[in-house]
Amino acid sequence: MTDLPDALRLRNLHKSFGKKAVDGLDLTIRPGEFYALLGANGAGKTTTLRMVAGLLQPDAGEIFVDGVDARKNPIAAKQRIAWLPDEPLLYDKLTPLEYLEFVAGLWGMTAERAGPRAEELLRRLNLWEQRNQRCEGFSRGMRQKTVLAGALIHEPRLLMLDEPLTGLDAGAARQVKDMLVEQTRAGVAVILTTHILEVAEKIADRIGIIADGRLIAEGDLNHLRSLSAAQTASLEEVFLDLTAPREPGVNGAAA
Amino acid sequence: MNSLSLPRLLRHDLTISWRRLCAFLRAKTNARGLVIVGAVVAALHVVAWPFATSLTQWAESDGRVYLMALGMVIVLPWLFSQGLTGATRALYSRGDLDLLFSSPLSPRKILTSRALAVAIESFGAVGLFLLPIADDAALQGGAVWLAVAPALAATVLLTTGLALAATLGLFALLGPKRTRSVGQVFATLVGAWFVICAQIFNFLPADWRDALRVQMDHPAPGGLFDPATPWWLPARAAAGQLAPLALWTLLGVAVFVASVALLGHAFTRGALSAAGEAQVSDGGREKDKKFRCDRAGALRRKEWRLLARDPYLVSQVLLQSLYTLPIALVIWKALGVGSVAVSVSPALVAVAAQLAAALAFLAASSEEAGDFVATAPVSPHELLRRKLEAVAAPVALFLALPLAALVWADAFVGVVTIAFALAAAASTAALNFWKPLQNRRGDLIKTHAQNKLVGLVEHGLSLAWAIAALLACLDRWEAVAPVGAALALLWLNAPRKARAAPQFA
């Protein structure tokens, strides 16, 4: 594992929309690691993920995906990434199978590899029966699962998920969480943003807390507790404590 | 507590219609919207003045009733088409309908309000063009011309009532899924009738027209051209004859009231099943297909599948093809017998331009997963190239047969037409790729929300290439002028600096 390049390495990343959205962010995620990126609304989580996915140009800084400089070689970097936005982006008039065929084509997979993989994913996500049904009548959960299948079909090295559990029922949420954990076991790095802190608490290897575009704390839950006043608290309490407005100089601990 | 009264409900519906109009006019405030509408109405009164002069002179010599009859032949299908579109939208637009149906309001009250809103919108859309002419004619030829306004209002009520019944009839016959597509095509066909009617008298051979004129001057009692027969009631009403106007108004109101009174529950059932169709249905089902993954093919296939499953496109293609018929007929009539190939040439060029524009608009502006596609390891240039290929293929397929027939009929005209059709299609497609309007595909289909300026330039390009094709077919050097105009339009709309292709994101 140690010989492998970092799945994601961000150095001094900056992005401003008039106001600073990401402000000198440094972040490293190792292969097979499950990383939860937490932050209040507008903290800079989605902007960070969009820059890594190639949807936003950073103002400054470095982005390396699986050892590839994403700013110099975006196509090679994109080949290794899957990005799942909070709003499932699907074609209403395509079926799940047609959607997966399209995604597999975009990532240049062979039909011999993509066909069986699509079947496996759709079966795992309980969508096989609906494989030839147009997505226009799908519920939010079904759409989310279809998009997840699209993200996994090309076997990415880095999987970035923005609020992936929104709109899923308990069963589907469990299914998705299990699949994500499986991915990390297979060496895929997963970075997830979520407001459901329980998910981060239970399955993340490391948790990063971002505020005003800066990483203010990072580590496993025990480490985060040690940074907080409440030593035995839940992640929710730790998060609220670390992100609460403070007098200058009181906070600022980062692992 | 009393539920919302009909006037307040109607005011709510009209507020929504007004806001839609303001959005269309890009007016951010009501005051600005009013100023724009006022300016448009004033400008139309100015433009209508010479037209009103001709009409008042014609009415003096040939009689106002015949003039109004001709007008009604055009206006009735136009209004019916407006009513069909409005009724379909009322059934399928979810918006606040769920809220209204979950409230204690009676279905009849909801339908009455919606139907009145449709009628007022139709009156506005058609009256905007007709009433300035009638106002100007009244200033020049007397107040009797003002009867056009109440006659139009009665016609709107009648056609809205009939359109509502027709839509709900289609709904009962075809079910919620097909009604919207069939309704759109039907409204398009009815609307196209208006364009063809506007020219129909001009297309008739001279001896036919003379014969018609004799019939009109000396109508047989009880015959088709006898203004005393009931068929002439709307024309006599619009001509300002008081008793027919009262009767026509009564008829309009009666049909409207009967429709909303009888169809209230059918409307509720229809709207609920339309909602069910949108939320619960399995959409279309497709067959198992062989999994194919080549990148270029995947990009093209995706576009073709989405285009093929687009009901709006069918009506769009039909409409554009039908609208070119009068153009071809007018040219054929002007050039004389033996010029069929030359007459068809600009029509085909216009169809190529419009079809390519429609396809490119959908492919470029309604990329539902633009952000997702932008994360794929594919260059923006390749995405653009594949989208262009995907657009070109159906245009070529649609026009292949008529173009081949044209080459067979007249090789020179055929080759010239192919060249200009290619140029026209490429230019309007490029325009839509350069100026995409990001939206959800469904929203684009519902609102036809193309950028109005792009739409205008698109029509300008179609017209310029069609005129150029005609002049080139006639071997006239003046063809360079419209070609130059088209190229200038393209240059003005091209991206200002060399940069990456559009991201579709």
Side-chain angles (χ1 to χ4, degrees):
Chain A
M1 288 284 274
T2 49
D3 290 342
L4 292 172
D6 291 328
L8 177 67
R9 188 153 56 87
L10 306 179
R11 288 289 171 268
N12 199 26
L13 200 64
H14 286 266
K15 182 71 191 177
S16 167
F17 303 102
K19 170 181 174 287
K20 280 184 178 171
V22 175
D23 187 12
L25 185 68
D26 290 322
L27 184 70
T28 302
I29 300 173
R30 293 180 289 271
E33 188 175 25
F34 199 123
Y35 190 97
L37 188 61
L38 310 181
N41 291 332
K45 306 182 298 289
T46 301
T47 303
T48 302
L49 295 193
R50 287 178 71 86
M51 283 193 282
V52 177
L55 295 169
L56 279 176
Q57 280 289 333
D59 296 336
E62 293 177 348
I63 301 172
F64 282 88
V65 177
D66 200 24
V68 175
D69 186 337
R71 297 192 70 185
K72 287 189 181 147
N73 196 351
I75 300 289
K78 286 174 176 182
Q79 189 70 47
R80 293 158 164 81
I81 298 175
W83 173 68
L84 220 86
D86 52 348
E87 186 65 36
L89 298 173
L90 258 185
Y91 299 96
D92 282 348
K93 298 283 179 190
L94 292 188
T95 69
L97 213 50
E98 288 168 347
Y99 174 72
L100 294 185
E101 186 190 48
F102 171 61
V103 177
L106 281 179
W107 263 264
M109 293 178 81
T110 61
E112 293 71 30
R113 208 171 112 222
R117 176 95 175 127
E119 181 173 347
E120 179 202 331
L121 286 167
L122 291 178
R123 285 193 190 280
R124 279 289 311 273
L125 291 162
N126 295 331
L127 287 169
W128 184 245
E129 290 303 310
Q130 290 83 26
R131 67 189 181 281
N132 289 323
Q133 211 168 301
R134 292 187 199 166
C135 299
E136 57 196 340
F138 281 12
S139 66
R140 162 92 194 209
M142 287 165 80
R143 295 171 73 87
Q144 191 79 352
K145 288 197 288 182
T146 308
V147 172
L148 179 64
L152 295 177
I153 191 167
H154 55 87
E155 297 167 337
R157 303 300 306 151
L158 173 65
L159 184 55
M160 301 190 296
L161 307 106
D162 200 356
E163 298 288 348
L165 304 177
T166 309
L168 296 184
D169 61 37
R174 180 63 178 270
Q175 228 174 0
V176 170
K177 282 185 277 184
D178 289 349
M179 282 188 84
L180 295 180
V181 171
E182 254 175 54
Q183 290 295 313
T184 57
R185 284 185 194 135
V188 177
V190 174
I191 176 166
L192 162 143
T193 73
T194 183
H195 290 296
I196 310 170
L197 300 186
E198 195 193 346
V199 174
E201 188 170 345
K202 282 191 177 156
I203 54 177
D205 297 318
R206 278 194 305 151
I207 297 163
I209 297 178
I210 189 170
D212 298 324
R214 280 174 297 148
L215 199 62
I216 57 165
E218 188 187 52
D220 61 19
L221 183 56
N222 286 332
H223 180 73
L224 293 181
R225 277 181 184 140
S226 72
L227 300 174
S228 157
Q231 299 281 316
T232 55
S234 67
L235 178 59
E236 185 181 13
E237 285 163 301
V238 171
F239 173 77
L240 291 173
D241 180 45
L242 290 175
T243 55
R246 287 166 200 276
E247 294 292 316
V250 175
N251 198 3
Chain B
M1 198 168 74
N2 289 331
S3 59
L4 207 61
S5 67
L6 182 61
R8 282 187 63 192
L9 193 56
L10 181 62
R11 198 178 73 182
H12 164 77
D13 280 342
L14 290 178
T15 304
I16 290 169
S17 300
W18 170 250
R19 299 267 159 87
R20 213 164 36 216
L21 179 67
C22 285
F24 172 80
L25 297 171
R26 313 247 159 154
K28 286 184 181 160
T29 61
N30 284 341
R32 202 163 168 189
L34 280 172
V35 169
I36 295 173
V37 169
V40 169
V41 169
L44 284 171
H45 275 82
V46 174
V47 173
W49 188 265
F51 193 55
T53 308
S54 309
L55 285 183
T56 46
Q57 284 164 1
W58 193 27
E60 272 172 30
S61 59
D62 284 1
R64 206 167 30 253
V65 176
Y66 286 122
L67 185 67
M68 294 302 165
L70 193 63
M72 277 294 175
V73 171
I74 296 166
V75 167
L76 271 166
W78 185 6
L79 283 173
F80 187 62
S81 168
Q82 289 274 335
L84 275 176
T85 308
T88 312
R89 193 166 58 204
L91 266 176
Y92 284 90
S93 71
R94 297 284 16 107
D96 57 351
L97 214 51
D98 288 343
L99 174 68
L100 292 174
F101 281 136
S102 65
S103 75
L105 285 173
S106 75
R108 191 169 299 151
K109 198 186 271 184
I110 297 170
L111 175 63
T112 308
S113 162
R114 281 286 134 106
L116 275 172
V118 169
I120 291 169
E121 277 184 47
S122 300
F123 183 84
V126 178
L128 184 69
F129 297 100
L130 291 189
L131 297 183
I133 302 172
D135 292 343
D136 289 354
L139 286 172
Q140 296 174 45
V144 72
W145 285 90
L146 294 177
V148 169
L152 181 66
T155 314
V156 164
L157 287 176
L158 181 98
T159 50
T160 305
L162 292 176
L164 201 63
T167 308
L168 289 170
L170 278 175
F171 212 87
L173 207 67
L174 303 171
K177 197 184 283 180
R178 291 197 190 94
T179 297
R180 180 153 53 174
S181 318
V182 174
Q184 275 172 351
V185 174
F186 194 40
T188 302
L189 288 173
V190 175
W193 171 248
F194 151 72
V195 175
I196 293 164
C197 276
Q199 292 292 336
I200 206 158
F201 196 70
N202 292 329
F203 300 152
L204 297 175
D207 49 343
W208 283 37
R209 275 189 284 169
D210 291 342
L212 268 176
R213 193 167 288 279
V214 170
Q215 283 279 316
M216 285 158 73
D217 288 344
H218 307 285
L224 186 65
F225 292 101
D226 180 7
T229 54
W231 300 111
W232 286 77
L233 182 67
R236 287 162 62 205
Q241 295 179 14
L242 278 181
L245 180 59
L247 203 60
W248 183 240
T249 306
L250 204 65
L251 186 68
V253 172
V255 169
F256 183 83
V257 169
S259 289
V260 292
L262 297 173
L263 299 172
H265 286 286
F267 175 75
T268 312
R269 276 198 307 274
L272 290 177
S273 50
E277 193 265 327
Q279 285 165 15
V280 178
S281 92
D282 57 0
R285 282 199 78 89
E286 308 300 329
K287 289 178 186 159
D288 266 328
K289 294 179 211 74
K290 192 168 174 269
F291 217 79
R292 290 179 294 172
C293 283
D294 63 301
R295 184 173 285 158
L299 282 161
R300 284 192 300 260
R301 271 195 304 279
K302 185 265 281 180
E303 296 300 337
W304 287 334
R305 279 173 177 151
L306 295 178
L307 292 173
R309 293 168 192 176
D310 198 328
Y312 165 63
L313 198 61
V314 178
S315 59
Q316 185 85 347
V317 172
L318 257 176
L319 187 72
Q320 277 152 10
S321 307
L322 281 169
Y323 282 0
T324 56
L325 277 179
I327 304 172
L329 285 168
V330 167
I331 297 168
W332 173 67
K333 198 163 178 299
L335 296 179
V337 184
S339 60
V340 175
V342 178
S343 315
V344 168
S345 173
L348 286 179
V349 170
V351 169
Q354 292 294 313
L355 186 56
L359 296 175
F361 169 60
L362 285 174
S365 295
S366 52
E367 174 56 76
E368 288 161 293
D371 270 0
F372 171 72
V373 173
T375 65
V378 186
S379 71
H381 283 104
E382 179 166 7
L383 285 176
L384 177 63
R385 192 163 71 241
R386 301 306 169 208
K387 275 181 184 279
L388 275 170
E389 287 167 5
V391 167
V395 177
L397 200 69
F398 188 76
L399 290 172
L401 200 63
L403 285 174
L406 204 61
V407 172
W408 179 76
D410 187 324
F412 173 71
V413 170
V415 170
V416 167
T417 308
I418 289 172
F420 280 94
L422 275 173
S427 62
T428 54
L431 177 74
N432 277 281
F433 280 118
W434 287 337
K435 310 257 180 198
L437 181 82
Q438 293 306 321
N439 215 329
R440 281 194 72 243
R441 197 176 196 94
D443 294 340
L444 289 168
I445 295 162
K446 270 182 237 158
T447 58
H448 306 190
Q450 192 190 32
N451 181 315
K452 297 297 171 285
L453 190 65
V454 174
L456 215 62
V457 175
E458 190 181 290
H459 287 299
L461 284 171
S462 301
L463 194 68
W465 287 118
I467 293 170
L470 177 66
L471 292 171
C473 287
L474 295 170
D475 216 4
R476 300 270 291 270
W477 65 268
E478 291 93 330
V480 295
V483 169
L487 293 177
L489 272 176
L490 272 178
W491 181 79
L492 283 171
N493 286 281
R496 279 299 90 192
K497 55 181 179 180
R499 59 175 168 83
Q503 289 279 341
F504 310 111

